[in-house]
Amino acid sequence: MAYALINGVILDGTEHMEPVTGKAVLIDGETITDIVPSDTVKDGYEIIDLSGAYLLPGLINLHVHIAISGEPPKRDKKQPNYKLIYWILSHSRLLRSYMKKQSAEYAKMELLSGVTTMRTVAGLMDFDGQVRDAINEGKAVGPRILSANTGISVPGGHFAGSIATEAATPEEAREHVHQIAATNPDLIKLMVTGGIMDSSEEGEPGVLRMKPEIIRAACEEAHKLGYKVAAHVESPEGVRAALENGVDTIEHGAKLNDDLIRLFQETGAAHICTISPAVPYAEFELSESHALPVAKKNGKIVMDGIIECAKACREHGIPVGLGNDVGCPFILHYNFWRELCYFHKYVGASEQETLYRATLGNAGIIGLDDITGSIAAGKCADLIAVTQNPLEDLSALRNVSMVITRGILYKDPQVKHSPDVDDLLDRYM
């Protein structure tokens, strides 16, 4: 279809974006062909009157676990036995079919809430890649996906044996990279440290689990095959081990010293800020989060570390991207907009900077800034519209009135919400 989007306020996604009015955005097929004065639109376009809505690039979510719902636990309990769950899944074709269907539904939810590109960073088997392929073939509805498929952990490491394999030696790490490469991923994910969900002692949420030589072997093999490497890291020790041994993006992060900042700058690595999953652990009452006391203490450590990492990286010109670690408890697939609000609130970035980082900035980190992330002639038609000005209040992104992904238009998109989760999270905005 050929569309002319008129009577909107354009926020183009660039670093210094300012509202632009009186312009029409012309779309032909998947591409933005031109941006012209509204009164010069020629015949041949279906006119889409935005009626004063704000038009901006589709959001880019850089940290997604697509197969997991994010629904909160119903009562106080220990972490589920993910290895057992994975074993059952691997032996049940019916359950695998169900999980693939659920993953596709969650991808659709991401899209209809305004995410037109997302990067999945460890999931069940190769479901992420299968959903990506179905979307690309027009067999499913969803955003553009960069998929890691299964991650790589170590015995006893973060999500080992479920959404990540277990590599005990450098040789095994290299083998696992090749095994994952056979499933046609877009990147490789490593679980370098522990996390909130698997910490057993207060004050140790990010214990280094993956030895430096295993990190290096995995990164070397991934880079030989043309893949970037993302790493789950939640401690300064983990940041050092990851950066010294070849990781390209630090997911989550930790408080940085001068030496770690230098390593970021020398390696060209980026930090992916994920405040959302730490908020319920750190800020909720235990009666609200249904977490164990140790998780609340460690959640606060992780949350402070992520925020301090983002602040230090911004101050020193290190790329900072945004992802919300969707799939963690209380982090649902329609709530990426909250990560932007947290980044503004806790890190201190302006609304303008935050929007840039969630669009063109994120696109640059994953090497897609020549394709998506901004509103410009020649770019892919990945766009959203909201009725209120996000440069004044980022919560305007909560209600998306239109989504266009690769030229396909969805008017008045609707997603099923969880009112109880929404009400609880709203208290901590």
Side-chain angles (χ1 to χ4, degrees), residues 10-60:
I10 299 172
L11 302 174
D12 67 7
T14 56
E15 190 169 3
H16 304 293
M17 73 184 88
E18 295 291 345
V20 173
T21 58
K23 298 286 188 178
V25 176
L26 306 183
I27 297 171
D28 192 350
E30 295 188 2
T31 306
I32 299 171
T33 56
D34 210 348
I35 301 171
V36 300
S38 295
D39 58 4
T40 64
V41 176
K42 298 179 180 180
D43 292 340
Y45 293 94
E46 179 181 341
I47 302 297
I48 305 296
D49 191 338
L50 297 176
S51 302
Y54 290 80
L55 184 70
L56 57 151
L59 302 178
I60 300 176

Side-chain angles (χ1 to χ4, degrees), residues 68-368:
I68 310 172
S69 71
E71 290 289 340
K74 302 301 182 184
R75 64 185 186 278
D76 298 351
K77 62 180 182 180
K78 294 183 179 180
Q79 181 180 342
N81 187 332
Y82 290 107
K83 280 190 175 183
L84 177 60
I85 294 171
Y86 182 80
W87 186 90
I88 295 171
L89 177 68
S90 65
H91 287 77
S92 171
R93 183 160 60 177
L94 181 61
L95 184 55
R96 289 198 300 275
S97 177
Y98 171 78
M99 290 303 299
K100 290 176 191 176
K101 182 179 179 181
Q102 284 297 105
S103 297
E105 286 298 314
Y106 295 145
K108 182 177 180 179
M109 188 179 292
E110 291 275 345
L111 175 68
L112 297 183
S113 65
V115 174
T116 57
T117 298
M118 67 183 186
R119 187 180 64 150
T120 67
V121 282
L124 295 171
M125 300 180 174
D126 63 344
F127 292 174
D128 296 3
Q130 291 186 42
V131 172
R132 173 202 62 199
D133 295 344
I135 292 168
N136 291 344
E137 294 166 7
K139 298 176 181 177
V141 172
R144 175 187 294 103
I145 295 177
L146 299 184
S147 168
N149 291 337
T150 303
I152 301 175
S153 188
V154 294
H158 194 57
F159 284 102
S162 56
I163 63 172
T165 63
E166 297 175 302
T169 66
E171 292 72 26
E172 287 185 4
R174 293 180 189 276
E175 291 174 7
H176 289 197
V177 169
H178 281 274
Q179 290 167 5
I180 295 167
T183 69
N184 192 31
D186 299 290
L187 68 150
I188 298 295
K189 171 69 179 295
L190 305 182
M191 305 297 193
V192 169
T193 73
I196 300 171
M197 296 176 70
D198 53 20
S199 58
S200 58
E201 297 182 22
E202 289 189 2
E204 294 188 354
V207 175
L208 181 62
R209 302 292 187 194
M210 185 173 282
K211 294 179 180 179
E213 56 266 31
I214 295 179
I215 301 171
R216 178 168 293 277
C219 289
E220 286 178 350
E221 212 62 30
H223 292 158
K224 286 179 185 177
L225 296 174
Y227 297 117
K228 297 287 189 179
V229 179
H232 168 100
V233 178
E234 292 186 353
S235 67
E237 183 184 15
V239 172
R240 176 180 297 281
L243 293 179
E244 287 182 340
N245 290 285
V247 162
D248 299 292
T249 61
I250 298 294
E251 314 290 315
H252 316 304
K255 188 173 182 179
L256 304 180
N257 57 28
D258 290 343
D259 198 34
L260 295 178
I261 291 169
R262 176 188 59 78
L263 278 172
F264 261 110
Q265 293 172 329
E266 289 179 353
T267 61
H271 169 229
I272 309 303
C273 181
T274 60
I275 299 171
S276 293
V279 169
Y281 289 105
E283 302 291 350
F284 287 13
E285 299 297 329
L286 291 177
S287 60
E288 297 170 331
S289 66
H290 303 289
L292 298 173
V294 65
K296 182 172 178 64
K297 174 72 176 290
N298 288 336
K300 179 62 174 173
I301 293 171
V302 168
M303 182 173 171
D304 290 346
I306 292 170
I307 292 167
E308 290 302 314
C309 189
K311 286 180 176 180
C313 286
R314 286 176 65 239
E315 181 181 348
H316 291 87
I318 296 162
V320 178
L322 303 183
N324 69 337
D325 206 356
V326 61
C328 289
F330 297 94
I331 315 305
L332 306 177
H333 283 275
Y334 58 81
N335 266 340
F336 181 52
W337 67 272
R338 292 186 188 274
E339 184 66 31
L340 279 67
C341 292
Y342 295 145
F343 192 76
H344 170 62
K345 175 181 178 179
Y346 293 111
V347 179
S350 68
E351 291 89 347
Q352 181 188 61
E353 177 190 339
T354 302
L355 271 180
Y356 160 72
R357 292 191 183 278
T359 54
L360 188 58
N362 271 0
I365 288 173
I366 57 177
L368 294 180

Side-chain angles (χ1 to χ4, degrees), residues 9 11 50-56 355 384-401:
V9 183
L11 302 174
L50 297 176
S51 302
Y54 290 80
L55 184 70
L56 57 151
L355 271 180
I384 62 173
V386 294
T387 57
Q388 303 298 315
N389 186 0
L391 292 183
E392 295 178 354
D393 184 353
L394 289 165
S395 65
L397 299 168
R398 181 179 196 144
N399 298 305
V400 177
S401 59

